[in-house]
mmCIF file of all heavy atoms in Angstrom:
data_model
loop_
_atom_site.group_PDB
_atom_site.id
_atom_site.type_symbol
_atom_site.label_atom_id
_atom_site.label_comp_id
_atom_site.label_asym_id
_atom_site.label_seq_id
_atom_site.Cartn_x
_atom_site.Cartn_y
_atom_site.Cartn_z
ATOM 1 N N SER Z 94 0.803 -1.211 0.000
ATOM 2 C CA SER Z 94 0.000 0.000 0.000
ATOM 3 C C SER Z 94 0.844 1.272 0.000
ATOM 4 O O SER Z 94 0.403 2.296 -0.494
ATOM 5 C CB SER Z 94 -0.937 -0.002 1.213
ATOM 6 O OG SER Z 94 -0.190 -0.076 2.414
ATOM 7 N N ASN Z 95 2.045 1.233 0.558
ATOM 8 C CA ASN Z 95 2.857 2.441 0.627
ATOM 9 C C ASN Z 95 4.173 2.315 -0.145
ATOM 10 O O ASN Z 95 5.136 3.032 0.124
ATOM 11 C CB ASN Z 95 3.173 2.775 2.089
ATOM 12 C CG ASN Z 95 1.931 3.163 2.843
ATOM 13 O OD1 ASN Z 95 1.129 3.933 2.349
ATOM 14 N ND2 ASN Z 95 1.747 2.611 4.031
ATOM 15 N N THR Z 96 4.222 1.393 -1.098
ATOM 16 C CA THR Z 96 5.448 1.224 -1.874
ATOM 17 C C THR Z 96 5.141 1.368 -3.348
ATOM 18 O O THR Z 96 4.052 1.023 -3.801
ATOM 19 C CB THR Z 96 6.080 -0.157 -1.632
ATOM 20 O OG1 THR Z 96 5.121 -1.169 -1.974
ATOM 21 C CG2 THR Z 96 6.485 -0.323 -0.185
ATOM 22 N N PRO Z 97 6.092 1.880 -4.153
ATOM 23 C CA PRO Z 97 5.862 1.995 -5.594
ATOM 24 C C PRO Z 97 5.621 0.634 -6.227
ATOM 25 O O PRO Z 97 6.075 -0.392 -5.725
ATOM 26 C CB PRO Z 97 7.171 2.614 -6.107
ATOM 27 C CG PRO Z 97 7.789 3.253 -4.921
ATOM 28 C CD PRO Z 97 7.383 2.403 -3.744
ATOM 29 N N VAL Z 98 4.918 0.645 -7.324
ATOM 30 C CA VAL Z 98 4.584 -0.609 -7.990
ATOM 31 C C VAL Z 98 5.804 -1.283 -8.571
ATOM 32 O O VAL Z 98 5.987 -2.476 -8.448
ATOM 33 C CB VAL Z 98 3.541 -0.351 -9.090
ATOM 34 C CG1 VAL Z 98 3.323 -1.595 -9.926
ATOM 35 C CG2 VAL Z 98 2.234 0.082 -8.459
ATOM 36 N N ALA Z 99 6.667 -0.524 -9.241
ATOM 37 C CA ALA Z 99 7.779 -1.124 -9.969
ATOM 38 C C ALA Z 99 9.008 -1.352 -9.095
ATOM 39 O O ALA Z 99 9.950 -1.989 -9.525
ATOM 40 C CB ALA Z 99 8.166 -0.247 -11.150
ATOM 41 N N GLU Z 100 9.013 -0.816 -7.878
ATOM 42 C CA GLU Z 100 10.194 -0.964 -7.033
ATOM 43 C C GLU Z 100 9.752 -1.157 -5.595
ATOM 44 O O GLU Z 100 8.906 -0.435 -5.076
ATOM 45 C CB GLU Z 100 11.096 0.268 -7.138
ATOM 46 C CG GLU Z 100 12.406 0.091 -6.389
ATOM 47 C CD GLU Z 100 13.373 1.220 -6.680
ATOM 48 O OE1 GLU Z 100 13.074 2.006 -7.587
ATOM 49 O OE2 GLU Z 100 14.396 1.314 -5.992
ATOM 50 N N SER Z 101 10.295 -2.170 -4.929
ATOM 51 C CA SER Z 101 9.903 -2.466 -3.565
ATOM 52 C C SER Z 101 10.672 -1.585 -2.590
ATOM 53 O O SER Z 101 11.610 -0.878 -2.958
ATOM 54 C CB SER Z 101 10.186 -3.934 -3.243
ATOM 55 O OG SER Z 101 11.572 -4.098 -3.004
ATOM 56 N N SER Z 102 10.310 -1.693 -1.319
ATOM 57 C CA SER Z 102 10.969 -0.891 -0.296
ATOM 58 C C SER Z 102 12.390 -1.364 -0.037
ATOM 59 O O SER Z 102 13.175 -0.663 0.572
ATOM 60 C CB SER Z 102 10.161 -0.938 1.005
ATOM 61 O OG SER Z 102 9.991 -2.284 1.424
ATOM 62 N N ASN Z 103 12.750 -2.554 -0.491
ATOM 63 C CA ASN Z 103 14.090 -3.092 -0.264
ATOM 64 C C ASN Z 103 14.987 -2.938 -1.490
ATOM 65 O O ASN Z 103 15.971 -3.658 -1.633
ATOM 66 C CB ASN Z 103 14.004 -4.573 0.131
ATOM 67 C CG ASN Z 103 13.398 -4.734 1.509
ATOM 68 O OD1 ASN Z 103 13.436 -3.812 2.315
ATOM 69 N ND2 ASN Z 103 12.837 -5.893 1.788
ATOM 70 N N GLY Z 104 14.626 -2.039 -2.397
ATOM 71 C CA GLY Z 104 15.478 -1.759 -3.533
ATOM 72 C C GLY Z 104 15.429 -2.783 -4.636
ATOM 73 O O GLY Z 104 16.340 -2.858 -5.466
ATOM 74 N N ILE Z 105 14.431 -3.602 -4.679
ATOM 75 C CA ILE Z 105 14.278 -4.608 -5.719
ATOM 76 C C ILE Z 105 13.384 -4.050 -6.810
ATOM 77 O O ILE Z 105 12.266 -3.609 -6.543
ATOM 78 C CB ILE Z 105 13.696 -5.916 -5.145
ATOM 79 C CG1 ILE Z 105 14.677 -6.511 -4.132
ATOM 80 C CG2 ILE Z 105 13.405 -6.910 -6.260
ATOM 81 C CD1 ILE Z 105 14.117 -7.691 -3.377
ATOM 82 N N ARG Z 106 13.867 -4.061 -8.023
ATOM 83 C CA ARG Z 106 13.146 -3.493 -9.156
ATOM 84 C C ARG Z 106 12.556 -4.616 -9.993
ATOM 85 O O ARG Z 106 13.231 -5.594 -10.299
ATOM 86 C CB ARG Z 106 14.079 -2.633 -10.003
ATOM 87 C CG ARG Z 106 13.392 -1.949 -11.173
ATOM 88 C CD ARG Z 106 14.314 -0.903 -11.789
ATOM 89 N NE ARG Z 106 13.677 -0.281 -12.952
ATOM 90 C CZ ARG Z 106 14.051 -0.494 -14.209
ATOM 91 N NH1 ARG Z 106 15.058 -1.309 -14.468
ATOM 92 N NH2 ARG Z 106 13.438 0.096 -15.209
ATOM 93 N N ILE Z 107 11.294 -4.472 -10.361
ATOM 94 C CA ILE Z 107 10.606 -5.445 -11.205
ATOM 95 C C ILE Z 107 10.160 -4.715 -12.460
ATOM 96 O O ILE Z 107 9.452 -3.711 -12.377
ATOM 97 C CB ILE Z 107 9.398 -6.062 -10.476
ATOM 98 C CG1 ILE Z 107 9.872 -6.790 -9.218
ATOM 99 C CG2 ILE Z 107 8.636 -7.005 -11.392
ATOM 100 C CD1 ILE Z 107 8.742 -7.292 -8.354
ATOM 101 N N TYR Z 108 10.577 -5.217 -13.617
ATOM 102 C CA TYR Z 108 10.291 -4.496 -14.854
ATOM 103 C C TYR Z 108 10.259 -5.483 -16.008
ATOM 104 O O TYR Z 108 10.759 -6.614 -15.880
ATOM 105 C CB TYR Z 108 11.348 -3.416 -15.088
ATOM 106 C CG TYR Z 108 12.739 -3.970 -15.343
ATOM 107 C CD1 TYR Z 108 13.209 -4.181 -16.655
ATOM 108 C CD2 TYR Z 108 13.581 -4.308 -14.287
ATOM 109 C CE1 TYR Z 108 14.468 -4.706 -16.894
ATOM 110 C CE2 TYR Z 108 14.837 -4.838 -14.521
ATOM 111 C CZ TYR Z 108 15.274 -5.036 -15.823
ATOM 112 O OH TYR Z 108 16.516 -5.557 -16.056
ATOM 113 N N PRO Z 109 9.706 -5.117 -17.199
ATOM 114 C CA PRO Z 109 8.806 -3.974 -17.391
ATOM 115 C C PRO Z 109 7.466 -4.242 -16.733
ATOM 116 O O PRO Z 109 7.148 -5.388 -16.416
ATOM 117 C CB PRO Z 109 8.675 -3.905 -18.921
ATOM 118 C CG PRO Z 109 8.810 -5.335 -19.346
ATOM 119 C CD PRO Z 109 9.827 -5.946 -18.415
ATOM 120 N N ASN Z 110 6.711 -3.232 -16.526
ATOM 121 C CA ASN Z 110 5.401 -3.379 -15.887
ATOM 122 C C ASN Z 110 4.413 -2.435 -16.568
ATOM 123 O O ASN Z 110 4.547 -1.230 -16.423
ATOM 124 C CB ASN Z 110 5.511 -3.028 -14.395
ATOM 125 C CG ASN Z 110 4.259 -3.415 -13.622
ATOM 126 O OD1 ASN Z 110 3.359 -4.041 -14.159
ATOM 127 N ND2 ASN Z 110 4.211 -3.032 -12.361
ATOM 128 N N PRO Z 111 3.481 -2.948 -17.375
ATOM 129 C CA PRO Z 111 3.122 -4.351 -17.594
ATOM 130 C C PRO Z 111 4.178 -5.106 -18.413
ATOM 131 O O PRO Z 111 5.012 -4.505 -19.087
ATOM 132 C CB PRO Z 111 1.807 -4.267 -18.369
ATOM 133 C CG PRO Z 111 1.324 -2.863 -18.196
ATOM 134 C CD PRO Z 111 2.552 -2.025 -18.033
ATOM 135 N N ALA Z 112 4.099 -6.446 -18.370
ATOM 136 C CA ALA Z 112 4.987 -7.303 -19.129
ATOM 137 C C ALA Z 112 4.152 -8.283 -19.946
ATOM 138 O O ALA Z 112 2.937 -8.407 -19.749
ATOM 139 C CB ALA Z 112 5.923 -8.053 -18.196
ATOM 140 N N THR Z 113 4.824 -8.989 -20.842
ATOM 141 C CA THR Z 113 4.119 -9.959 -21.685
ATOM 142 C C THR Z 113 4.640 -11.375 -21.482
ATOM 143 O O THR Z 113 3.909 -12.255 -21.036
ATOM 144 C CB THR Z 113 4.228 -9.575 -23.163
ATOM 145 O OG1 THR Z 113 5.609 -9.423 -23.515
ATOM 146 C CG2 THR Z 113 3.489 -8.280 -23.442
ATOM 147 N N SER Z 114 5.916 -11.611 -21.773
ATOM 148 C CA SER Z 114 6.459 -12.968 -21.706
ATOM 149 C C SER Z 114 7.486 -13.160 -20.593
ATOM 150 O O SER Z 114 7.591 -14.257 -20.026
ATOM 151 C CB SER Z 114 7.112 -13.333 -23.053
ATOM 152 O OG SER Z 114 6.162 -13.294 -24.090
ATOM 153 N N PHE Z 115 8.263 -12.097 -20.272
ATOM 154 C CA PHE Z 115 9.280 -12.211 -19.239
ATOM 155 C C PHE Z 115 9.172 -11.060 -18.247
ATOM 156 O O PHE Z 115 8.886 -9.923 -18.619
ATOM 157 C CB PHE Z 115 10.687 -12.225 -19.856
ATOM 158 C CG PHE Z 115 11.044 -13.530 -20.508
ATOM 159 C CD1 PHE Z 115 10.758 -13.737 -21.848
ATOM 160 C CD2 PHE Z 115 11.648 -14.547 -19.776
ATOM 161 C CE1 PHE Z 115 11.078 -14.939 -22.461
ATOM 162 C CE2 PHE Z 115 11.972 -15.754 -20.382
ATOM 163 C CZ PHE Z 115 11.684 -15.955 -21.718
ATOM 164 N N MET Z 116 9.407 -11.377 -16.986
ATOM 165 C CA MET Z 116 9.469 -10.398 -15.913
ATOM 166 C C MET Z 116 10.900 -10.399 -15.381
ATOM 167 O O MET Z 116 11.456 -11.457 -15.080
ATOM 168 C CB MET Z 116 8.490 -10.769 -14.804
ATOM 169 C CG MET Z 116 8.578 -9.903 -13.558
ATOM 170 S SD MET Z 116 7.462 -10.496 -12.264
ATOM 171 C CE MET Z 116 8.269 -12.025 -11.782
ATOM 172 N N HIS Z 117 11.495 -9.235 -15.279
ATOM 173 C CA HIS Z 117 12.881 -9.117 -14.813
ATOM 174 C C HIS Z 117 12.895 -8.615 -13.373
ATOM 175 O O HIS Z 117 12.206 -7.651 -13.020
ATOM 176 C CB HIS Z 117 13.659 -8.165 -15.707
ATOM 177 C CG HIS Z 117 13.761 -8.633 -17.126
ATOM 178 N ND1 HIS Z 117 14.809 -9.379 -17.597
ATOM 179 C CD2 HIS Z 117 12.918 -8.474 -18.169
ATOM 180 C CE1 HIS Z 117 14.627 -9.667 -18.870
ATOM 181 N NE2 HIS Z 117 13.486 -9.118 -19.246
ATOM 182 N N VAL Z 118 13.708 -9.266 -12.554
ATOM 183 C CA VAL Z 118 13.875 -8.874 -11.150
ATOM 184 C C VAL Z 118 15.329 -8.478 -10.957
ATOM 185 O O VAL Z 118 16.246 -9.242 -11.275
ATOM 186 C CB VAL Z 118 13.496 -10.021 -10.192
ATOM 187 C CG1 VAL Z 118 13.677 -9.579 -8.744
ATOM 188 C CG2 VAL Z 118 12.063 -10.468 -10.441
ATOM 189 N N GLN Z 119 15.557 -7.278 -10.430
ATOM 190 C CA GLN Z 119 16.909 -6.743 -10.296
ATOM 191 C C GLN Z 119 17.107 -6.164 -8.911
ATOM 192 O O GLN Z 119 16.205 -5.552 -8.338
ATOM 193 C CB GLN Z 119 17.144 -5.656 -11.350
ATOM 194 C CG GLN Z 119 18.566 -5.139 -11.416
ATOM 195 C CD GLN Z 119 18.725 -4.132 -12.531
ATOM 196 O OE1 GLN Z 119 17.907 -3.226 -12.663
ATOM 197 N NE2 GLN Z 119 19.752 -4.274 -13.338
ATOM 198 N N GLY Z 120 18.280 -6.367 -8.350
ATOM 199 C CA GLY Z 120 18.576 -5.834 -7.021
ATOM 200 C C GLY Z 120 19.318 -6.855 -6.189
ATOM 201 O O GLY Z 120 19.985 -7.761 -6.718
ATOM 202 N N GLU Z 121 19.200 -6.755 -4.871
ATOM 203 C CA GLU Z 121 19.877 -7.681 -3.967
ATOM 204 C C GLU Z 121 19.049 -8.962 -3.821
ATOM 205 O O GLU Z 121 18.432 -9.225 -2.790
ATOM 206 C CB GLU Z 121 20.070 -7.004 -2.604
ATOM 207 C CG GLU Z 121 20.929 -5.748 -2.676
ATOM 208 C CD GLU Z 121 21.034 -5.070 -1.322
ATOM 209 O OE1 GLU Z 121 20.598 -5.669 -0.321
ATOM 210 O OE2 GLU Z 121 21.549 -3.946 -1.275
ATOM 211 N N VAL Z 122 19.059 -9.764 -4.884
ATOM 212 C CA VAL Z 122 18.183 -10.933 -4.910
ATOM 213 C C VAL Z 122 18.932 -12.251 -4.977
ATOM 214 O O VAL Z 122 18.314 -13.313 -4.990
ATOM 215 C CB VAL Z 122 17.207 -10.844 -6.100
ATOM 216 C CG1 VAL Z 122 16.267 -9.668 -5.930
ATOM 217 C CG2 VAL Z 122 17.951 -10.756 -7.420
ATOM 218 N N THR Z 123 20.263 -12.229 -5.022
ATOM 219 C CA THR Z 123 21.014 -13.484 -5.056
ATOM 220 C C THR Z 123 20.710 -14.307 -3.812
ATOM 221 O O THR Z 123 20.818 -13.823 -2.685
ATOM 222 C CB THR Z 123 22.519 -13.199 -5.141
ATOM 223 O OG1 THR Z 123 22.784 -12.418 -6.306
ATOM 224 C CG2 THR Z 123 23.309 -14.498 -5.218
ATOM 225 N N GLY Z 124 20.283 -15.543 -4.024
ATOM 226 C CA GLY Z 124 19.912 -16.406 -2.910
ATOM 227 C C GLY Z 124 18.496 -16.216 -2.419
ATOM 228 O O GLY Z 124 18.086 -16.858 -1.447
ATOM 229 N N ALA Z 125 17.737 -15.363 -3.086
ATOM 230 C CA ALA Z 125 16.350 -15.118 -2.681
ATOM 231 C C ALA Z 125 15.412 -16.058 -3.435
ATOM 232 O O ALA Z 125 15.809 -16.754 -4.382
ATOM 233 C CB ALA Z 125 15.970 -13.671 -2.947
ATOM 234 N N ALA Z 126 14.176 -16.082 -3.010
ATOM 235 C CA ALA Z 126 13.130 -16.852 -3.686
ATOM 236 C C ALA Z 126 12.013 -15.905 -4.078
ATOM 237 O O ALA Z 126 11.785 -14.887 -3.420
ATOM 238 C CB ALA Z 126 12.595 -17.949 -2.768
ATOM 239 N N TYR Z 127 11.331 -16.234 -5.168
ATOM 240 C CA TYR Z 127 10.212 -15.395 -5.583
ATOM 241 C C TYR Z 127 8.934 -16.226 -5.632
ATOM 242 O O TYR Z 127 8.957 -17.438 -5.852
ATOM 243 C CB TYR Z 127 10.480 -14.761 -6.956
ATOM 244 C CG TYR Z 127 10.314 -15.703 -8.133
ATOM 245 C CD1 TYR Z 127 9.079 -15.880 -8.744
ATOM 246 C CD2 TYR Z 127 11.399 -16.421 -8.635
ATOM 247 C CE1 TYR Z 127 8.917 -16.746 -9.812
ATOM 248 C CE2 TYR Z 127 11.252 -17.292 -9.700
ATOM 249 C CZ TYR Z 127 10.004 -17.455 -10.281
ATOM 250 O OH TYR Z 127 9.840 -18.313 -11.326
ATOM 251 N N GLN Z 128 7.817 -15.559 -5.391
ATOM 252 C CA GLN Z 128 6.492 -16.180 -5.494
ATOM 253 C C GLN Z 128 5.573 -15.207 -6.228
ATOM 254 O O GLN Z 128 5.662 -13.993 -6.015
ATOM 255 C CB GLN Z 128 5.891 -16.497 -4.113
ATOM 256 C CG GLN Z 128 6.731 -17.423 -3.237
ATOM 257 C CD GLN Z 128 7.713 -16.654 -2.392
ATOM 258 O OE1 GLN Z 128 7.456 -15.542 -1.962
ATOM 259 N NE2 GLN Z 128 8.867 -17.253 -2.142
ATOM 260 N N ILE Z 129 4.721 -15.743 -7.080
ATOM 261 C CA ILE Z 129 3.732 -14.941 -7.789
ATOM 262 C C ILE Z 129 2.353 -15.429 -7.376
ATOM 263 O O ILE Z 129 2.039 -16.616 -7.494
ATOM 264 C CB ILE Z 129 3.903 -15.050 -9.321
ATOM 265 C CG1 ILE Z 129 5.315 -14.607 -9.736
ATOM 266 C CG2 ILE Z 129 2.862 -14.195 -10.037
ATOM 267 C CD1 ILE Z 129 5.586 -14.761 -11.217
ATOM 268 N N TYR Z 130 1.521 -14.497 -6.881
ATOM 269 C CA TYR Z 130 0.176 -14.815 -6.422
ATOM 270 C C TYR Z 130 -0.842 -14.130 -7.327
ATOM 271 O O TYR Z 130 -0.648 -12.984 -7.738
ATOM 272 C CB TYR Z 130 -0.045 -14.337 -4.980
ATOM 273 C CG TYR Z 130 0.837 -15.014 -3.965
ATOM 274 C CD1 TYR Z 130 2.116 -14.516 -3.695
ATOM 275 C CD2 TYR Z 130 0.408 -16.135 -3.273
ATOM 276 C CE1 TYR Z 130 2.937 -15.130 -2.761
ATOM 277 C CE2 TYR Z 130 1.218 -16.747 -2.333
ATOM 278 C CZ TYR Z 130 2.484 -16.243 -2.081
ATOM 279 O OH TYR Z 130 3.280 -16.849 -1.156
ATOM 280 N N ASN Z 131 -1.953 -14.839 -7.607
ATOM 281 C CA ASN Z 131 -3.012 -14.189 -8.371
ATOM 282 C C ASN Z 131 -3.875 -13.352 -7.453
ATOM 283 O O ASN Z 131 -3.604 -13.241 -6.242
ATOM 284 C CB ASN Z 131 -3.842 -15.207 -9.166
ATOM 285 C CG ASN Z 131 -4.630 -16.162 -8.271
ATOM 286 O OD1 ASN Z 131 -4.822 -15.918 -7.072
ATOM 287 N ND2 ASN Z 131 -5.087 -17.262 -8.841
ATOM 288 N N GLN Z 132 -4.946 -12.760 -7.987
ATOM 289 C CA GLN Z 132 -5.771 -11.827 -7.210
ATOM 290 C C GLN Z 132 -6.580 -12.517 -6.123
ATOM 291 O O GLN Z 132 -7.130 -11.849 -5.243
ATOM 292 C CB GLN Z 132 -6.701 -11.058 -8.148
ATOM 293 C CG GLN Z 132 -5.946 -10.162 -9.107
ATOM 294 C CD GLN Z 132 -6.856 -9.421 -10.056
ATOM 295 O OE1 GLN Z 132 -7.639 -8.576 -9.647
ATOM 296 N NE2 GLN Z 132 -6.772 -9.735 -11.336
ATOM 297 N N LEU Z 133 -6.666 -13.849 -6.164
ATOM 298 C CA LEU Z 133 -7.348 -14.586 -5.106
ATOM 299 C C LEU Z 133 -6.381 -15.029 -4.015
ATOM 300 O O LEU Z 133 -6.774 -15.710 -3.071
ATOM 301 C CB LEU Z 133 -8.058 -15.808 -5.694
ATOM 302 C CG LEU Z 133 -9.148 -15.511 -6.718
ATOM 303 C CD1 LEU Z 133 -9.721 -16.816 -7.267
ATOM 304 C CD2 LEU Z 133 -10.248 -14.677 -6.084
ATOM 305 N N GLY Z 134 -5.101 -14.646 -4.152
ATOM 306 C CA GLY Z 134 -4.108 -15.032 -3.169
ATOM 307 C C GLY Z 134 -3.543 -16.423 -3.385
ATOM 308 O O GLY Z 134 -2.868 -16.965 -2.502
ATOM 309 N N VAL Z 135 -3.795 -17.021 -4.543
ATOM 310 C CA VAL Z 135 -3.316 -18.366 -4.838
ATOM 311 C C VAL Z 135 -1.926 -18.287 -5.460
ATOM 312 O O VAL Z 135 -1.685 -17.515 -6.391
ATOM 313 C CB VAL Z 135 -4.283 -19.097 -5.796
ATOM 314 C CG1 VAL Z 135 -3.744 -20.470 -6.170
ATOM 315 C CG2 VAL Z 135 -5.659 -19.208 -5.166
ATOM 316 N N LEU Z 136 -0.985 -19.091 -4.956
ATOM 317 C CA LEU Z 136 0.356 -19.145 -5.514
ATOM 318 C C LEU Z 136 0.305 -19.817 -6.881
ATOM 319 O O LEU Z 136 -0.118 -20.961 -7.005
ATOM 320 C CB LEU Z 136 1.281 -19.930 -4.579
ATOM 321 C CG LEU Z 136 2.730 -20.100 -5.035
ATOM 322 C CD1 LEU Z 136 3.437 -18.754 -5.082
ATOM 323 C CD2 LEU Z 136 3.476 -21.062 -4.105
ATOM 324 N N VAL Z 137 0.720 -19.097 -7.933
ATOM 325 C CA VAL Z 137 0.631 -19.628 -9.287
ATOM 326 C C VAL Z 137 1.997 -19.920 -9.897
ATOM 327 O O VAL Z 137 2.086 -20.637 -10.895
ATOM 328 C CB VAL Z 137 -0.146 -18.657 -10.208
ATOM 329 C CG1 VAL Z 137 -1.601 -18.569 -9.777
ATOM 330 C CG2 VAL Z 137 0.496 -17.275 -10.230
ATOM 331 N N GLN Z 138 3.085 -19.386 -9.302
ATOM 332 C CA GLN Z 138 4.422 -19.661 -9.822
ATOM 333 C C GLN Z 138 5.435 -19.269 -8.761
ATOM 334 O O GLN Z 138 5.238 -18.304 -8.019
ATOM 335 C CB GLN Z 138 4.683 -18.875 -11.120
ATOM 336 C CG GLN Z 138 5.988 -19.236 -11.815
ATOM 337 C CD GLN Z 138 6.083 -18.615 -13.198
ATOM 338 O OE1 GLN Z 138 5.097 -18.538 -13.921
ATOM 339 N NE2 GLN Z 138 7.268 -18.165 -13.574
ATOM 340 N N SER Z 139 6.554 -20.004 -8.677
ATOM 341 C CA SER Z 139 7.594 -19.695 -7.709
ATOM 342 C C SER Z 139 8.929 -20.216 -8.223
ATOM 343 O O SER Z 139 8.990 -21.008 -9.170
ATOM 344 C CB SER Z 139 7.269 -20.311 -6.339
ATOM 345 O OG SER Z 139 7.194 -21.732 -6.436
ATOM 346 N N GLY Z 140 10.001 -19.771 -7.595
ATOM 347 C CA GLY Z 140 11.331 -20.211 -7.995
ATOM 348 C C GLY Z 140 12.393 -19.522 -7.183
ATOM 349 O O GLY Z 140 12.111 -18.767 -6.240
ATOM 350 N N ASP Z 141 13.674 -19.768 -7.536
ATOM 351 C CA ASP Z 141 14.817 -19.190 -6.839
ATOM 352 C C ASP Z 141 15.469 -18.116 -7.698
ATOM 353 O O ASP Z 141 15.439 -18.169 -8.929
ATOM 354 C CB ASP Z 141 15.849 -20.270 -6.510
ATOM 355 C CG ASP Z 141 15.303 -21.306 -5.540
ATOM 356 O OD1 ASP Z 141 14.529 -20.915 -4.649
ATOM 357 O OD2 ASP Z 141 15.653 -22.497 -5.691
#
């Protein structure tokens, strides 16, 4: 609610937004995991 859409509060940038085929994640993410949730809160994709 209080963070920009394309950039999180921890300096992680997600682009382009909107996207079509690929989503790029940039920042201090080495060793991190990502999760993508749909509007119902269901986990639809995840990875390292």
Side-chain angles (χ1 to χ4, degrees):
S94 59
N95 293 315
T96 58
V98 172
E100 186 171 350
S101 77
S102 57
N103 291 337
I105 296 172
R106 183 169 178 251
I107 299 173
Y108 66 94
N110 191 6
T113 55
S114 299
F115 285 90
M116 173 184 70
H117 298 267
V118 180
Q119 187 177 47
E121 299 177 10
V122 295
T123 302
Y127 76 88
Q128 302 89 33
I129 302 177
Y130 296 87
N131 66 16
Q132 295 179 66
L133 298 177
V135 177
L136 179 65
V137 294
Q138 187 170 322
S139 61
D141 296 324

